[in-house]
Amino acid sequence: LRTKQQQREHAANGLDLLQLIRLPRIRVDQVVMSVSSVGDGEVQIRINNVPSTVADLQALTPDRVLTVDYITSPGLKYGKGVSAVINIKTKKGDAGVASGLNTMNAVTTNYNDDSGWFKLTKKQSEFGVLYNFKLNSNEDVKTNGRQKFVGADNSVKNITRDGKYNDSRFVSNDITLSYNVTNDKSRVFDMKLSTNWNRFPDRFLTENVSENGNSYEMTTFNKNNEKRPMLKLYYADAIGKNDTYSAYLTTAYVRSNYERSVETPVLKSPYDVKGDKYSILGEVDFTHSFEKAGELSAGYQQTGEFTKNQYH
């Protein structure tokens, strides 16, 4: 699809442009910052064939967009469980500096979703920084439950729960450093180094429980602290007029600490998990484009994961 000039003029960023284009079976939600499919499977986003994220769309100025390729039946080269691929092709930015700020803050509750980006372009190279901060709290959430159990001897047990969350808070910090080199011969090198630090959920749930008239108070605590650095590398080059090859490598490390405890007058049960996870994904791809229509693609993918958890 070739984007119309009017659509580009009315869009604030790449994500906003996708919403204006209204691709079939694609749902764009700018409140939760997501691009999803009406059917099963995920939607893969690419910018100039480089695997990208919604945050990259927000840092994309609409005036740079040339075309939007929408693939409804993606092959295995895009991975498993992918129902659609959106590949946005852009033109080179002029030499200089560009920056932007996206904010979404609620007036009556503690909700913040703010991001800022900065890009420096010089000749064929582009350096970028993207930062995203999220903070929200759900301290006014209440719970209510009613359960009835009937035993084999027809004995009945009724349990009611009335509770309220306290200090229910989610905090997330994301920062990405990117570097891209693209020359006139379709040679592309793209590198992204990112890190995420989030704490979710951090909350207390205090419930008044009644079991056949016997009442007591139960407190449940949940907390998760996670850090996740990630490195992504992409390289593509042309061989002649109709052939291209590409290589993609991403590696990530996750360090998490999950705590949960349940406390009643007769029970105190803490649960703690500390985990380390290493993962890597690599792929190579060769594509031949035919003169009239269609293309033939062949490649290889390899993934690996290692997890080490300590339970208490």
Side-chain angles (χ1 to χ4, degrees), residues 147 156-162 207-218 264-266:
Q147 294 175 302
V156 178
K157 186 174 186 178
N158 292 289
I159 301 178
T160 63
R161 288 188 174 91
D162 295 288
E207 295 178 294
N208 294 316
V209 184
S210 176
E211 297 185 13
N212 285 353
N214 298 319
S215 300
Y216 60 90
E217 187 177 85
M218 180 171 68
T264 69
V266 296

Side-chain angles (χ1 to χ4, degrees), residues 5 135 198 210:
Q5 181 64 28
L135 169 65
N198 69 74
S210 176

Side-chain angles (χ1 to χ4, degrees), residues 29-300:
D29 191 331
Q30 298 204 57
V31 176
V32 298
M33 305 300 177
S34 68
V35 179
S36 58
S37 173
V38 176
D40 296 330
E42 67 171 294
V43 177
Q44 187 177 110
I45 299 172
R46 295 192 171 215
I47 299 177
N48 295 325
N49 294 317
V50 180
S52 306
T53 64
V54 173
D56 296 319
L57 287 178
Q58 290 181 288
L60 177 64
T61 54
D63 58 291
R64 293 185 56 188
V65 176
L66 291 175
T67 60
V68 178
D69 295 338
Y70 179 38
I71 305 174
T72 57
S73 299
L76 289 176
K77 63 176 290 185
Y78 298 104
K80 297 180 181 179
V82 178
S83 61
V85 176
I86 300 175
N87 184 30
I88 300 177
K89 295 182 179 180
T90 66
K91 59 183 178 181
K92 291 183 179 179
D94 297 330
V97 177
S99 62
L101 179 67
N102 298 293
T103 63
M104 184 175 295
N105 301 280
V107 178
T108 59
T109 187
N110 191 2
Y111 178 87
N112 304 270
D113 190 347
D114 308 318
S115 63
W117 57 272
F118 169 86
K119 289 186 177 181
L120 173 63
T121 304
K122 184 177 181 181
K123 296 182 179 179
Q124 298 175 346
S125 301
E126 182 181 84
F127 172 78
V129 180
L130 174 65
Y131 174 73
N132 180 256
F133 171 76
K134 294 182 180 181
L135 169 65
N136 61 69
S137 179
N138 299 311
E139 297 183 358
D140 293 332
V141 177
K142 298 181 180 180
T143 65
N144 181 279
R146 300 289 184 268
Q147 294 175 302
K148 181 178 180 180
F149 299 93
V150 180
D153 57 352
N154 291 325
S155 60
V156 178
K157 186 174 186 178
N158 292 289
I159 301 178
T160 63
R161 288 188 174 91
D162 295 288
K164 180 182 179 182
Y165 285 102
N166 295 289
D167 195 26
S168 179
R169 181 174 296 182
F170 167 74
V171 182
S172 175
N173 293 273
D174 290 90
I175 184 168
T176 301
L177 303 177
S178 62
Y179 179 70
N180 180 280
V181 179
T182 303
N183 66 13
D184 296 331
K185 295 182 180 180
S186 300
R187 181 179 299 164
V188 178
F189 173 73
D190 189 89
M191 178 181 69
K192 290 184 175 68
L193 177 62
S194 63
T195 181
N196 170 269
W197 179 29
N198 69 74
R199 298 180 296 281
F200 176 77
D202 184 0
R203 66 187 182 188
F204 288 90
L205 172 61
T206 303
E207 295 178 294
N208 294 316
V209 184
S210 176
E211 297 185 13
N212 285 353
N214 298 319
S215 300
Y216 60 90
E217 187 177 85
M218 180 171 68
T219 302
T220 306
F221 172 71
N222 291 273
K223 182 178 181 179
N224 186 41
N225 193 332
E226 183 179 280
K227 299 178 178 67
R228 183 175 64 246
M230 181 181 296
L231 174 65
K232 297 180 180 180
L233 300 173
Y234 177 85
Y235 179 80
D237 201 355
I239 308 175
K241 182 180 178 181
N242 299 322
D243 299 327
T244 60
Y245 70 92
S246 63
Y248 178 66
L249 175 69
T250 177
T251 178
Y253 165 72
V254 180
R255 173 70 173 179
S256 63
N257 187 355
Y258 175 74
E259 301 175 28
R260 185 178 188 272
S261 65
V262 178
E263 185 174 351
T264 69
V266 296
L267 171 68
K268 186 174 183 180
S269 175
Y271 178 76
D272 185 16
V273 181
K274 294 182 179 180
D276 296 276
K277 181 177 181 178
Y278 304 85
S279 60
I280 187 170
L281 181 149
E283 64 179 40
V284 291
D285 179 79
F286 173 81
T287 301
H288 174 78
S289 300
F290 296 98
E291 293 290 344
K292 294 184 178 180
E295 63 180 26
L296 178 65
S297 179
Y300 177 79

